[in-house]
Amino acid sequence: MRFAFMAGDLFDKLGKNEYTEALTSFCIDEYIKKRQHNYDATSEEDKVPIDPLLKDIVELMFVRCFNDKGFKQALGIALEARRFDKIEEAIRSSDNILEMCKYCFDIAMSLIPIRDYRQKVLELLVKIYREQESPDFITICRILVFLNDSYNVAGILEKLINGTEDEYLLSLQIAFDLVKNSTQQFLIGVRNRLPIKKVGSSSTDNNNKEEEDEEEEDDD
């Protein structure tokens, strides 16, 4: 491997022949192993150095994926290698950001066993979803349920409730989804974070006003 890379321009690192593909695959696997080890390491002493040659070949692979519009392949490598920068770049560079977000979410929930890492990937997805021109609040809230983030769910509901009629209806749909897909504890957390409105206060005020008007007529 080292001799091949040290050959400089005589070795085409982005070549698509069988030998280059096999060597590139080996390099990516080694890079991923070391990145995962370092991500899970509890101290700097436990981390292992990563050969610059491995880094170079992986970076070139990302370039090739982006140039060939192989965004899902790039995302897969980035997720395995714990490369948040490339996860975000793969999603944002794609032709369909929402589709890539869904693809990333499916992988995160089915193939990432480490809870801490999965949570960070989901937090990144929420960030990207929120930045869209028309945020998919239903999906955002579903992800927030997995993050156990009742605070931000309550914030979204409050915003929608006080918005347009369509946004109000959307808040009801989200509320039904929450009842169906979240725990009682999570629902209580959402409820406790929503502003309290006095039910029937307006009707009580109207009744009081009517009684006052009747009293004034009797006095006359």
Side-chain angles (χ1 to χ4, degrees), residues 67-96:
N67 288 341
D68 295 345
K69 295 188 178 298
F71 301 113
K72 289 185 177 180
Q73 183 183 5
L75 179 61
I77 296 172
L79 284 167
E80 287 194 90
R82 312 299 193 251
R83 288 287 301 272
F84 288 101
D85 58 330
K86 293 302 180 181
I87 293 173
E88 185 168 0
E89 184 177 353
I91 293 173
R92 293 187 184 279
S93 299
S94 67
D95 299 325
N96 191 329

Side-chain angles (χ1 to χ4, degrees), residues 4-216:
F5 292 148
M6 290 177 65
D9 295 338
L10 297 176
F11 176 67
D12 184 6
K13 300 182 182 66
L14 293 179
K16 294 187 178 182
N17 57 75
E18 185 176 349
Y19 173 74
T20 304
E21 293 282 357
L23 193 57
T24 299
S25 178
F26 173 80
C27 291
I28 292 173
D29 288 342
E30 286 297 305
Y31 176 82
I32 288 173
K33 288 178 184 177
K34 292 179 183 294
R35 285 282 304 180
Q36 290 181 350
H37 174 86
N38 290 346
Y39 184 87
D40 297 333
T42 56
S43 66
E44 289 296 323
E45 290 76 14
D46 292 335
K47 293 183 178 181
V48 296
I50 300 178
D51 193 317
L53 290 175
L54 289 180
K55 294 180 180 179
D56 288 344
I57 201 68
V58 170
E59 291 300 323
L60 286 172
M61 180 52 119
F62 279 124
V63 170
R64 188 170 83 177
C65 287
F66 292 140
N67 288 341
D68 295 345
K69 295 188 178 298
F71 301 113
K72 289 185 177 180
Q73 183 183 5
L75 179 61
I77 296 172
L79 284 167
E80 287 194 90
R82 312 299 193 251
R83 288 287 301 272
F84 288 101
D85 58 330
K86 293 302 180 181
I87 293 173
E88 185 168 0
E89 184 177 353
I91 293 173
R92 293 187 184 279
S93 299
S94 67
D95 299 325
N96 191 329
I97 293 178
L98 296 181
E99 180 185 332
M100 282 292 289
C101 282
K102 183 181 183 304
Y103 179 73
C104 183
F105 174 76
D106 291 340
I107 292 177
M109 298 306 298
S110 60
L111 299 178
I112 299 179
I114 303 172
R115 184 177 183 276
D116 172 70
Y117 177 52
R118 184 173 62 244
Q119 298 285 89
K120 290 180 179 179
V121 172
L122 294 180
E123 288 170 1
L124 175 60
L125 288 178
V126 169
K127 171 190 169 187
I128 296 174
Y129 269 117
R130 280 183 173 275
E131 291 174 356
Q132 301 310 299
E133 185 175 350
S134 299
D136 184 352
F137 287 116
I138 293 178
T139 301
I140 291 174
C141 287
R142 285 174 180 168
I143 296 176
L144 291 174
V145 169
F146 286 108
L147 291 171
N148 197 31
D149 188 351
S150 58
Y151 177 83
N152 276 305
V153 169
I156 290 173
L157 286 175
E158 182 180 2
K159 176 183 177 182
L160 294 175
I161 289 170
N162 295 317
T164 65
E165 182 177 354
D166 287 341
E167 289 175 331
Y168 178 76
L169 293 175
L170 180 59
S171 73
L172 296 179
Q173 183 177 349
I174 292 173
F176 285 126
D177 282 350
L178 291 175
V179 171
K180 181 179 179 181
N181 299 314
S182 61
T183 64
Q184 187 69 22
Q185 183 179 2
F186 187 88
L187 293 173
I188 292 172
V190 174
R191 184 197 64 187
N192 291 341
R193 288 171 174 81
L194 286 171
I196 299 175
K197 291 186 178 181
K198 294 181 179 180
V199 179
S201 59
S202 59
S203 60
T204 302
D205 292 340
N206 289 334
N207 290 336
N208 291 337
K209 187 176 186 305
E210 289 176 0
E211 290 176 0
E212 290 175 359
D213 292 341
E214 289 177 358
E215 290 177 359
E216 288 179 1

